[in-house]
């Protein structure tokens, strides 16, 4: 076993230069999720992924249509009796690169500077997907996979996966497995291998406030009609109280109090006030005074206005104004209830001098995964072997819809890890991936497949 | 006199088809004031105007450089002793055409539908300028001008004329005259010839709120840092109290109470609640409960958020959010004091979890003109002769910086009229000008030049 592991690791190491070139090709395709104009590039990125799966040696590779962006699936069977099946998750869509001006080099012209590769999607998550495929290919092309692998690469993660539940229902066989390996969660620092056991859910809605039938001269109509920008900001301003608590009716009803044990465990994470100040560059932190920053970021529900738009650079009262309201949810908060609460707040607080519309864009529940499974043990051992460090277990503030969908619909737990670093600036300008960390990630996943194939009681391997 | 007037009127009537073609050429140049990318088109529109002035027979036509967009000037002397000098004002810049999608035909592809010409700038105010030039040309090319005329066509009116005061200081001779004729004010309805005797001033500022150094993942940093959108909307929401009164410190200190006589006169205007509801399409009017709609629109100061921007269609807390705050001022309110009050409000109410910047974009005081001058009498008689109706005298909610500049710097009053109609949708999509009204405006201005040349005691002319 040790020698086949060694062969796979060596294969992967030799493949790094070629994998980097391939990753750059993939990153050149602006597969931006939220902008309809990029539909052709979405299709192109999906086709590219399918081709790369075939090249890695996977079978039954398909690009499945959905009501939104296509889904890329494939599988590779180990041929071994009783081998477990690992579902490997990824997404090929990326966030919009705005603000473009803040990029040092164009977001879709990937470039290596030092030990980093810069491009939109480099770390979130085309780089992570490429690492997974390298790990799978390393086994296929050497001793053969010790586990069965199914790969699912979706194209709507950055929109909250609105069509993924329907795809799981339509193709349950392509999603069947013993556990999902999801490297979309990232790590706390270069030398801090991390497994995430909790993710927040999300409820995202767009509120449009309509005033006059068309933009009107602000001198002729100001003071007589209610500016929809003004009505909107008045509503939004009331969504938090003066202590930073969210005022949406029922918002905290289902939130479990944080257990003392969990607070102590969160307090041990290297994410103190200085960490958040340095990472963000803000003059002062903000938020609920009764909770520490790391509790607020990962274990408390939040409400953010991620976008607001109204008017132009002209002297007019605009016809409409809109805002996106993104609520991150903790376990037991039901997205439907929260969105109902938001609608009630609109009904109660938006004035009758304007009309409004609330459109739900995505929703998914929070997820907590069981830390006591053989899969978490296998990944923990694999990460420890590569980094020679104990693994940090943490809850994360982000949302990955597939995790709760798989748990709720198929009863499949996820092992959440990843090789994105806090300084990678995912979703921001100058996104990059730290290549040495990514290659360590490949090694960790190669080891994970090996450890996952063996009885959990086996000792973890020492050196190779 | 009657026969030379008749000849001038006939000349203008014959010139209508050619003037319409020329106006369309001018409207094809997107001389958008507020967007730096349109600098070449601004220059092109100024050059076009200069050429058209020469064509009309004006002399000393120049395109004068300013720190901003150029100014077009020219003059035509009557050669008659003791002839008064009329300054004719216009602007060749236009508002941005956004939202483009709301236009039935492209904003810079002027098209006649029915008796209207549709294009950005058709009514505000390239059409009005063309009407003035037709009136001047009709006299020059027939009996000769009965008055001296100076023309000033600026390129920054839609920005609040930030460089106009400096231009007046630099070229006082080009601005000298007995009165300024300003047809940028519009009329209340097709059959309601209107002279405006009061204009509001403006103080326009842009407030930028900065949070994190770059856009940050809303899941990882939500609840820990203050979203600049949230800080901004909190601030903006507090700029009005629950009665629609502006809360900027000192905002109402210098505002004169409305005199009973003026309230009665405003109440006679055909601008009731139904008028504003129909023109705007809002479900219900809004504003200070102690004032009628027409009082609120023209005689009370207001504060509007004409633009707000923050974030993108991605799940991130944006680095910045910004809003434009436009305050319309009544007589005695000093723009400098009002802007100081706004800055004080920022200092007092914006939290230290963000940083901010307040940039003043334009300022000008309100203007009230004397209704008892020979010039108002001449214009009133000219309008009555064309429309066979009594002229309505009114205050208007908009701002035309040149009016207060000319009053304060050179002691020159303005006669404010114009042939734009409420339904022309100036500043909005599908802006248009009603051609029959515009041609009536040409006739009114031809008559005004005639009446302005004669002693005020002369009887007004009957039929021609």
């Amino acid at each position: 076993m040790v020698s086949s592991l060694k062969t796979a690791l060596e294969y992967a190491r030799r493949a790094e230069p070629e994998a980097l070139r391939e990753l750059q090709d993939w990153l050149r395709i602006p597969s931006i999720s939220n902008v309809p104009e990029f539909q052709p590039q979405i299709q192109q990125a999906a086709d590219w992924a399918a081709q790369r799966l075939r090249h890695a040696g996977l079978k039954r590779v398909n690009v499945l249509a959905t009501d939104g962006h296509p889904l890329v699936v494939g599988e590779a069977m180990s041929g071994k009796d009783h081998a477990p099946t690992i579902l490997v998750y990824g997404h090929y869509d990326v966030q919009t690169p705005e603000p473009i001006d803040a990029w040092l080099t164009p977001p879709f012209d990937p470039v290596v500077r030092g030990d980093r590769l810069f491009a939109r999607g480099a770390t979130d998550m085309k780089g992570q997907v490429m690492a997974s495929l390298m790990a799978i290919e390393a086994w296929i092309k050497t001793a053969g996979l010790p586990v069965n692998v199914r790969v699912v690469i979706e194209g709507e993660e950055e929109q909250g996966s609105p069509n993924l539940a329907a795809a799981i229902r339509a193709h349950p066989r392509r999603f069947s497995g013993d556990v999902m390996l999801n490297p979309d969660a990232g790590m706390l620092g270069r030398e801090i291998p991390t497994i995430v056991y909790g993710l927040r859910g999300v409820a995202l809605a767009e509120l449009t406030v309509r005033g006059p039938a068309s933009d009107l001269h602000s001198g002729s109509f100001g003071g007589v009609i209610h500016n929809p920008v003004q009505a909107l900001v008045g509503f939004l301003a009331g969504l938090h109280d003066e202590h930073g608590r969210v005022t949406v009716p029922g918002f905290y009803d289902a939130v479990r109090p944080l257990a003392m044990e969990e607070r102590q465990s969160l307090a041990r994470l290297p994410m103190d006030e200085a960490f958040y100040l340095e990472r963000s560059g803000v003059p002062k932190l903000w938020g609920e005074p009764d909770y520490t920053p790391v509790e607020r970021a990962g274990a408390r529900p939040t409400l953010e206005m991620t976008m607001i738009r109204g008017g132009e650079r002209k002297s007019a009262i605009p016809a409409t104004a809109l805002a996106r309201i993104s609520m991150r949810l903790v376990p037991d908060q039901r997205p439907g209830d929260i969105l109902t609460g938001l609608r009630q707040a609109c009904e109660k607080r938006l004035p009758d001098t304007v009309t409004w519309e609330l459109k739900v864009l995505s929703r998914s529940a929070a997820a907590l995964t069981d830390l006591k499974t053989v899969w978490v043990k296998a990944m923990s051992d694999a990460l420890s072997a590569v980094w020679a460090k104990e693994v940090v277990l943490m809850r994360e503030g982000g949302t990955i819809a597939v995790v709760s969908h798989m748990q709720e619909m198929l009863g499949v737990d996820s092992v959440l890890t990843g090789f994105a670093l806090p300084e990678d600036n995912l979703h921001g300008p100058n996104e990059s991936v730290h290549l040495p960390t990514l290659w360590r990630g490949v090694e960790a996943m190669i080891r994970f497949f090996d450890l996952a194939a063996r009885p959990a009681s086996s000792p973890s391997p020492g050196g190779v």
Side-chain angles (χ1 to χ4, degrees), chain A:
Chain A
M1 229 17 170
V2 167
S3 82
S4 66
L5 173 62
K6 192 175 173 183
T7 320
L9 290 173
E10 278 167 2
Y11 180 94
R13 211 161 294 134
R14 279 195 310 273
E16 285 169 10
E18 177 60 17
L20 176 59
R21 276 191 295 273
E22 290 176 326
L23 175 56
Q24 287 177 287
D25 286 342
W26 202 17
L27 289 167
R28 266 182 213 107
I29 307 170
S31 45
I32 302 171
S33 217
N34 273 325
V35 184
E37 286 72 20
F38 287 89
Q39 185 56 45
Q41 288 82 359
I42 282 282
Q43 184 67 47
Q44 201 187 339
D47 292 340
W48 192 99
Q51 196 49 44
R52 187 64 190 77
L53 257 61
R54 289 186 195 103
H55 177 69
L58 282 92
K59 308 291 178 198
R60 296 185 66 215
V61 175
N62 293 112
V63 178
L64 304 174
T66 73
D67 282 347
H69 301 160
L71 192 73
V72 183
V73 295
E75 58 189 46
M77 294 298 130
S78 67
K80 296 180 176 71
D81 287 347
H82 311 299
T85 299
I86 313 290
L87 278 159
V88 178
Y89 170 84
H91 64 83
Y92 63 83
D93 62 326
V94 302
Q95 292 275 348
T96 171
E98 264 84 25
I100 296 273
D101 290 350
W103 286 75
L104 295 175
T105 49
F108 298 105
D109 186 4
V111 60
V112 175
R113 287 197 292 273
D115 51 10
R116 290 190 161 272
L117 172 62
F118 289 82
R120 170 59 86 228
T123 199
D124 182 17
M125 77 170 293
K126 286 174 178 167
Q128 313 292 329
V129 174
M130 182 57 74
S132 305
L133 296 182
M134 286 171 76
I136 297 166
E137 179 177 322
W139 278 113
I140 292 178
K141 296 291 170 75
T142 57
L145 271 166
V147 291
N148 304 321
V149 165
R150 285 204 170 86
V151 174
V152 173
I153 308 177
E154 68 155 319
E156 298 188 319
E157 197 279 335
E158 301 295 3
Q159 299 180 47
S161 307
N163 297 292
L164 187 66
I168 295 173
R169 267 192 297 275
H171 310 282
R173 280 276 304 139
R174 310 310 297 257
F175 286 86
S176 75
D178 293 289
V179 68
M180 180 170 259
L181 168 63
N182 189 327
D184 198 18
M187 51 199 296
L188 278 173
R190 274 186 209 191
E191 299 302 330
I192 311 172
T194 309
I195 291 178
V196 170
Y197 66 93
L199 284 170
R200 287 197 286 195
V202 76
L204 174 67
E206 190 166 279
L207 173 62
T208 304
V209 174
R210 296 180 214 283
S214 69
D215 297 358
L216 290 177
H217 193 293
S218 62
S220 310
F221 288 88
V224 183
I225 65 166
H226 206 171
N227 184 331
V229 175
Q230 192 188 330
L232 179 63
V233 302
F235 175 76
L236 295 175
L239 288 175
H240 292 90
D241 70 14
E242 69 273 32
H243 306 298
R245 273 178 70 89
V246 177
T247 65
V248 170
F251 193 74
Y252 295 101
D253 286 1
V255 177
R256 298 182 221 181
L258 268 180
M260 188 51 68
E261 187 184 51
E262 179 155 25
R263 297 192 85 159
Q264 286 166 347
S265 143
L266 285 168
R268 282 193 295 271
L269 293 177
M271 299 161 80
D272 57 2
E273 195 164 320
F275 169 90
Y276 281 108
L277 282 172
E278 199 220 310
R279 288 272 167 252
S280 65
V282 297
K284 190 174 165 181
L285 298 187
W286 175 93
E288 294 176 284
D290 296 343
Y291 296 89
T292 65
V294 69
E295 288 169 355
R296 303 200 303 265
R300 289 289 294 173
T302 60
L303 181 152
E304 292 295 337
M305 300 134 202
T306 52
M307 185 188 72
I308 189 164
R309 283 276 178 289
E312 302 289 339
R313 285 187 162 77
K314 63 177 183 177
S315 304
I317 299 174
T320 61
L322 62 88
R324 286 197 168 192
I325 299 165
S326 167
M327 294 171 286
R328 298 281 177 169
L329 310 179
V330 295
D332 300 341
Q333 277 184 305
R334 287 164 35 164
D337 293 349
I338 298 301
L339 289 162
T340 300
L342 182 63
R343 185 171 297 278
Q344 283 166 358
C346 291
E347 281 160 3
K348 194 171 151 200
R349 291 190 30 238
L350 279 162
D352 59 359
T353 44
V354 294
T355 59
W356 55 272
E357 184 191 353
L358 186 72
K359 200 171 138 195
V360 174
L361 299 178
S362 75
R363 59 171 86 189
S364 67
L368 274 183
T369 59
D370 185 353
L371 287 175
K372 297 186 186 69
T373 62
V374 293
W375 319 114
V376 171
K377 175 83 170 74
M379 181 51 81
S380 184
D381 289 347
L383 292 169
S384 291
V386 177
W387 268 268
K389 289 258 165 54
E390 216 180 310
V391 168
V392 169
L393 302 171
M394 69 169 292
R395 280 164 72 148
E396 222 276 317
T399 306
I400 308 172
V402 70
V403 176
S404 59
H405 287 341
M406 290 299 293
Q407 214 166 41
E408 287 171 7
M409 298 174 69
L410 301 179
V412 174
D413 246 16
S414 293
V415 174
L416 279 155
T417 185
F419 314 101
L421 297 172
E423 62 267 32
D424 289 356
N425 221 22
L426 72 168
H427 292 208
N430 302 305
E431 176 181 343
S432 66
V433 68
H434 184 239
L435 294 169
T437 301
L438 195 68
W439 306 143
R440 284 169 116 179
V442 176
E443 180 179 345
M445 287 192 284
I446 290 173
R447 287 177 180 273
F448 169 74
F449 292 134
D450 181 40
L451 292 165
R454 295 196 276 161
S457 55
S458 297
S460 61
V464 287

